[in-house]
Amino acid sequence: MNITVIDEEYKEWLKSLSKRFRQSQIKAAVKVNQEMLRFYWELGRDIVEMKIEKRWGEKVIDTLSADLRKILPEAHCFSKINLYYMKRFYLLYGEWIECKKRIVNQSNTEKEISSNIVTGKGNEIVYQVDKQFQNKLSKDNIHQIYDNKKVENINYVLSDLFSIPWGHHILILRKCSNDLDKALFYVRQTIENGWSRAMLLNFLDTDLYDREGKALTNFKRTLPEDTSELAQEITKDPYNFDFLGITKQYNERLLKEQLLKNITKFLLELGSGFAYVGREYRLQVGETEKFIDLLFYHLNLRCYVVIEVKITKFDFSDIGQIGGYVVAANHLLRKEDDNPTIGLLICKDKDSMVARYALESTNQPIAISEYELSKLYPKKIEGEIPSIEEIESRLLEDKEK
């Protein structure tokens, strides 16, 4: 594209205007998304609180959908299925938020009057109900997800809900059903990592919620308190290696080669913060050469992460090998501002008790996980599962009888 260039100052000003305009477009799009989500939330709340299906019959959603599309023909969000998603949107998060509001309001009221006295029968009932909700909330993982942001700030939670696209919410509603903790986990992860819809779907399908932070580690004993929790959070168990596309017999070399060929997907599975340093990374230890399987640096933890991949079941001897690499990396690679190096051992299988004993035997920070591949399908064994032809043949035989 040819543009008029009066002078360099004009050129820079023009570039600045273009950049500011695009930023304004992005901000406007985000604002529109937030306002639409707020509307969907309120419409879902109306459907629930007005009990419209009980008031006007089960088919009222169909009627509402048709009427809204007549009144607002330019809008494409009022299909029957979308209205049901709006209802589910509010049902999933709304009860918890309303309960939390009552607890916060109750706490403020108690400060004004007395923390020990409950006056009036009606107030006593409200107090007892909220106590039940408070007991329920104290057991929820939601506190862990939002603990650094003070979950009592309801606006913060709502802000999160209104910060991701509606298409993302639909995926979460489909996959998380009535599991509030799980749904909010994916909402927060989407915001923190900027997941596209495809990336979110991938992590939903591979059950990231059930895998994250689940590796067996000795981090609490071997790392400073301020880094041990974050280090635990960056682990998974198992790691999902379906993206490698390995469906036949394989050896360790092939597995590692495929991981590097798919390094972008491997980094995505490892999680945010991992930066690839090298494979078969050479360390000169005295007069001996040692080679680390895979070496990464974690930007948030500010430390090297040594990864060893084993296609066998974990055994005691594995802990000594990776522990040696961790010590060597600390001596040869770690800079003054770096935190202690972490070891991550990813095995085909492990006995949890053996892994715990091994972790107890070392003072190096190490995590032990498993990996999963696509299911290996063996050749059909005669007599196990009949083919379509065999079924049809037997049906014909039965008819002739």
Side-chain angles (χ1 to χ4, degrees), residues 127-185:
Y127 179 83
Q128 289 172 349
V129 170
D130 283 346
K131 272 294 183 185
Q132 290 174 0
F133 284 124
Q134 193 142 19
N135 290 335
K136 176 183 181 296
L137 288 169
S138 67
K139 298 175 184 177
D140 283 343
N141 293 328
I142 300 167
H143 284 268
Q144 297 174 17
I145 299 171
Y146 289 93
D147 58 355
N148 295 326
K149 304 291 184 181
K150 294 186 178 179
V151 74
E152 285 76 8
N153 184 353
I154 306 300
N155 290 331
Y156 178 82
V157 183
L158 285 171
S159 175
D160 272 6
L161 292 178
F162 299 153
S163 294
I164 67 173
W166 181 238
H168 286 59
H169 276 298
I170 288 176
L171 289 178
I172 292 171
L173 290 169
R174 284 176 183 168
K175 298 287 184 176
C176 297
S177 187
N178 297 319
D179 194 331
L180 176 61
D181 293 335
K182 188 174 182 179
L184 279 176
F185 168 82

Side-chain angles (χ1 to χ4, degrees), residues 18 47 68 98 154 157 188 209 301 313 350 369 391:
S18 174
I47 291 171
L68 285 171
E98 293 305 319
I154 306 300
V157 183
R188 181 104 290 274
Y209 174 75
L301 284 172
K313 188 173 182 178
K350 69 177 184 299
S369 297
I391 294 172

